[in-house]
Amino acid sequence: MSANNGVRRALWKRFIDSAQPTLDRWHEQLEQPELTQERLLQRLLKANSDCAFGRAHHFARIADSMQFRDNVPIHAYAQLHPWIQRAQQESEPILTSRPPLFFERTSGSSALHKAIPYTRDFLSEMHSALGVWLADMHRQVPGISHGSGYWSMSPPLQVPVTGPNGIAVGSASDLEYLSGSNIAGLAGTLLIPEFAGDLSNWRRQTLLALVADADLSFISVWSPTFLTSLLQPIFDGESAEHEQTFAWLDNALPTARRSALRRARSQGVCTELWPRLAAVSCWMDGPSRHYYRQLAARFPQAQWLPKGLFATEGVVSVPFGDGPGCPLAIGSHYLEFLCEDGSLRNAHSLRMGESAQVLLTTGGGLYRYALGDRVRVVGMLGATPRVEFVGRTTVTSDLVGEKLDEHIVQNIFDRCITTTGAACLIPNASAMPPHYLALVATPEDLDAGALALAVESELSNAFHYNQARRLGQLGPLRVRLLKGSADLLAQVLQQAAELSGIRAGDVKPRPLINRLETAEAILALTESSCRHL
């Protein structure tokens, strides 16, 4: 064992020892979710009763969760946005009694870019969930501590700025999330590529750092498509760009690693490239299920571990224990669930098989926040439901985190297509990398190339679509032209929907197709009858 690996094992042991009190508390919480959640809510209300939001919603007079529902409405981001704007501009406590450390950017599933407040209390809530996950993952696969780890940390695509009240908008590094926690010590086990130059150079340097490390024992990413796209230069010999990157890697490596790289390409797997790799963790449910299964074939030596439902706004479920799904993060935030029949449930009252939309109340100042994600109960751990991610609640398409919704798409088509006719946007999830296709029906002659550039440019104004494109997780938009009126497009969509199992009377025309079975049927129906770009 190398000296570096000995240091890494020692850092992991120090973390595991320090995480034990958190694990003990977590085990107790799993057995009493109702009491745990009620106490957490009361703590949040008491701590923030004197901020502007707390005074406006009478936090000091709320005695239980029922009164909380009566006094505080459900909020989408648009409803919270005025409060968040005040928190970015004013010095007095607005959403929480203690000011945010920074605001993190995200774009969600609307045209409105989001700024999520990160307070010290909110980070502590996240740290608790992360600590449970990491400690349990080490229990399942101790080999993750025997070498170096790679946790995907994207370079900042937007430079942090300082608001009028001196609070930063945007974080300089993902490592800021770990500040002040016992998890921060694990940074010494990580392979952290330097970010220099443009995003293309960052990708090359990241891949070089990974390939050069024979001791890699753990990979943690969010979307499996990110890792797939990062590794493409190793396995794709047809792209000139990927061939250039492979040659650059080959030239930069010492002899032993160069040989391992060449064997990986010839064998189509990473077994000899990273012989110590014990586990890979990524999203494995919802839309990611297809991509993770394809990627797993490259890593037969590794165990695959799920991610829970972690979002910029908070954590819903934590990978822990055995069995399907992940238990709800009942010790981190106050959770409510809006069921399909319109009823509201607390965490402890969800039943097996039920699907529901997640509402979050956090120490960061989000109160009854509609996250936009749906989960399904697939098991129990103690008295706490285990859930899996189902998908988004609105008409959105989110293959790799791009979070497009039909309102954005319709506005783009309105701006880009000035002729008579109609259009819809279709995800091609089976392509590698996946991409979107604009299917346009018009009786007039259109320049498909110019239209593709125009729509792609508009889509790139959506933060996460642009990020997915820049990271190589999505390919460029393509266009198919149907010669005819809007009725022709409606016929195609109707036929495809019926072929994919939707009842004829339930089919609705939409500018965005987000059901993958329907998307595949549309692509098949129009493959030979359209002009392509």
Side-chain angles (χ1 to χ4, degrees):
M1 180 176 69
S2 71
N4 284 340
N5 286 343
V7 170
R8 291 168 183 140
R9 290 195 188 194
L11 290 172
W12 268 101
K13 184 179 186 307
R14 185 181 305 166
F15 162 72
I16 296 299
D17 291 343
S18 68
Q20 193 57 53
T22 301
L23 282 172
D24 292 341
R25 185 166 60 253
W26 171 247
H27 281 287
E28 294 174 1
Q29 292 168 342
L30 291 171
E31 297 297 335
Q32 45 189 1
E34 183 176 11
L35 178 61
T36 297
Q37 286 276 280
E38 195 67 38
R39 285 176 174 172
L40 193 156
L41 176 62
Q42 291 302 320
R43 187 166 65 248
L44 286 172
L45 295 173
K46 181 178 180 180
N48 298 305
S49 60
D50 289 332
C51 70
F53 189 97
R55 292 194 300 271
H57 293 86
H58 312 295
F59 279 10
R61 301 206 302 262
I62 296 176
D64 55 33
S65 58
M66 292 298 294
Q67 290 184 11
F68 180 58
R69 291 179 184 177
D70 292 340
N71 281 271
V72 182
I74 294 172
H75 293 91
Y77 184 81
Q79 283 81 57
L80 279 177
H81 187 231
W83 292 95
I84 289 175
Q85 282 186 312
R86 288 184 60 187
Q88 290 178 296
Q89 297 168 1
E90 302 177 22
S91 297
E92 69 166 298
I94 302 300
L95 283 164
T96 52
S97 296
R98 293 199 288 182
L101 301 174
F102 59 91
F103 292 86
E104 189 58 285
R105 298 182 178 108
T106 184
S107 67
S109 58
S110 71
L112 187 62
H113 285 224
K114 300 178 183 179
I116 306 302
Y118 271 54
T119 64
R120 177 61 61 195
D121 289 339
F122 176 69
L123 285 174
S124 294
E125 293 168 357
M126 296 290 279
H127 294 160
S128 174
L130 287 168
V132 167
W133 167 56
L134 288 165
D136 193 62
M137 186 160 48
H138 184 269
R139 175 193 64 82
Q140 292 185 66
V141 190
I144 64 174
S145 67
H146 295 179
S148 56
Y150 173 67
W151 299 359
S152 63
M153 296 185 182
S154 304
L157 300 182
Q158 293 176 293
V159 177
V161 297
T162 301
N165 58 5
I167 300 175
V169 178
S171 58
S173 166
D174 291 348
L175 287 175
E176 286 191 30
Y177 292 170
L178 306 182
S179 176
S181 74
N182 60 343
I183 307 169
L186 291 179
T189 71
L190 300 180
L191 184 160
I192 305 177
E194 292 291 330
F195 175 64
D198 58 19
L199 192 61
S200 175
N201 183 60
W202 171 78
R203 291 176 62 83
R204 275 192 168 195
Q205 293 296 335
T206 299
L207 184 55
L208 175 60
L210 287 168
V211 172
D213 190 349
D215 288 334
L216 188 68
S217 64
F218 177 46
I219 295 175
S220 176
V221 298
W222 293 108
S223 174
T225 61
F226 170 78
L227 186 55
T228 297
S229 65
L230 191 64
L231 297 175
Q232 271 189 311
I234 296 178
F235 300 108
D236 179 10
E238 297 182 4
S239 162
E241 180 184 356
H242 292 158
E243 275 297 283
Q244 291 172 1
T245 299
F246 186 89
W248 177 81
L249 287 170
D250 194 68
N251 186 61
L253 292 168
T255 301
R257 297 308 294 159
R258 185 183 302 129
S259 298
L261 174 66
R262 292 176 180 177
R263 287 194 298 272
R265 167 168 278 199
S266 65
Q267 297 169 0
V269 295
C270 298
T271 311
E272 294 187 51
L273 190 59
W274 295 303
R276 301 174 67 91
L277 186 66
V280 180
S281 176
C282 68
W283 290 330
M284 295 168 61
D285 52 13
S288 295
R289 183 175 285 112
H290 170 73
Y291 302 117
Y292 124 72
R293 287 173 176 168
Q294 287 187 325
L295 180 61
R298 301 284 191 197
F299 299 91
Q301 77 276 36
Q303 187 167 336
W304 286 75
L305 303 172
K307 285 281 194 295
L309 181 46
F310 282 77
T312 307
E313 297 94 330
V315 55
V316 177
S317 62
V318 184
F320 185 84
D322 304 315
C326 301
L328 292 170
I330 53 170
S332 290
H333 314 313
Y334 182 69
L335 303 172
E336 298 171 89
F337 299 89
L338 184 60
C339 295
E340 294 176 346
D341 62 2
S343 63
L344 275 166
R345 301 288 189 87
N346 293 320
H348 71 278
S349 60
L350 285 172
R351 297 293 177 259
M352 179 69 74
E354 285 186 325
S355 296
Q357 179 186 169
V358 180
L359 307 179
L360 287 176
T361 295
T362 77
L366 302 184
Y367 301 101
R368 307 200 73 207
Y369 175 79
L371 183 61
D373 289 332
R374 290 174 57 243
V375 296
R376 179 188 299 114
V377 180
V378 293
M380 299 291 292
L381 184 58
T384 299
R386 298 180 70 99
V387 299
E388 67 177 8
F389 174 66
V390 176
R392 301 290 289 171
T393 58
T394 56
V395 181
T396 64
S397 185
D398 195 13
L399 297 176
V400 298
E402 71 278 13
K403 301 178 183 178
L404 294 176
D405 72 68
E406 63 180 358
H407 178 71
I408 293 175
V409 171
Q410 185 61 65
N411 286 341
I412 289 173
F413 284 148
D414 289 344
R415 289 192 293 270
C416 293
I417 302 174
T418 57
T419 63
T420 58
C424 69
L425 193 68
I426 303 157
N428 188 344
S430 60
M432 194 55 67
H435 62 262
Y436 282 84
L437 182 141
L439 183 63
V440 182
T442 175
E444 304 175 32
D445 289 326
L446 290 182
D447 183 338
L451 179 58
L453 290 175
V455 175
E456 174 75 2
S457 177
E458 291 281 350
L459 284 170
S460 294
N461 290 326
F463 175 82
H464 278 300
Y465 180 90
N466 186 41
Q467 181 173 341
R469 287 284 290 113
R470 294 178 68 184
L471 291 175
Q473 293 174 264
L474 287 176
L477 175 107
R478 301 182 184 182
V479 167
R480 286 185 186 177
L481 297 177
L482 286 168
K483 189 67 172 180
S485 66
D487 288 341
L488 178 58
L489 179 61
Q491 292 171 22
V492 170
L493 298 183
Q494 180 76 30
Q495 184 181 359
E498 293 177 25
L499 287 172
S500 62
I502 298 176
R503 290 188 302 176
D506 294 339
V507 179
K508 299 176 182 178
R510 294 193 180 280
L512 174 65
I513 304 300
N514 65 341
R515 188 169 180 266
L516 294 185
E517 296 90 341
T518 304
E520 291 171 359
I522 294 170
L523 293 172
L525 285 170
T526 60
E527 174 64 33
S528 59
S529 60
C530 297
R531 287 189 287 134
H532 299 231
L533 180 77

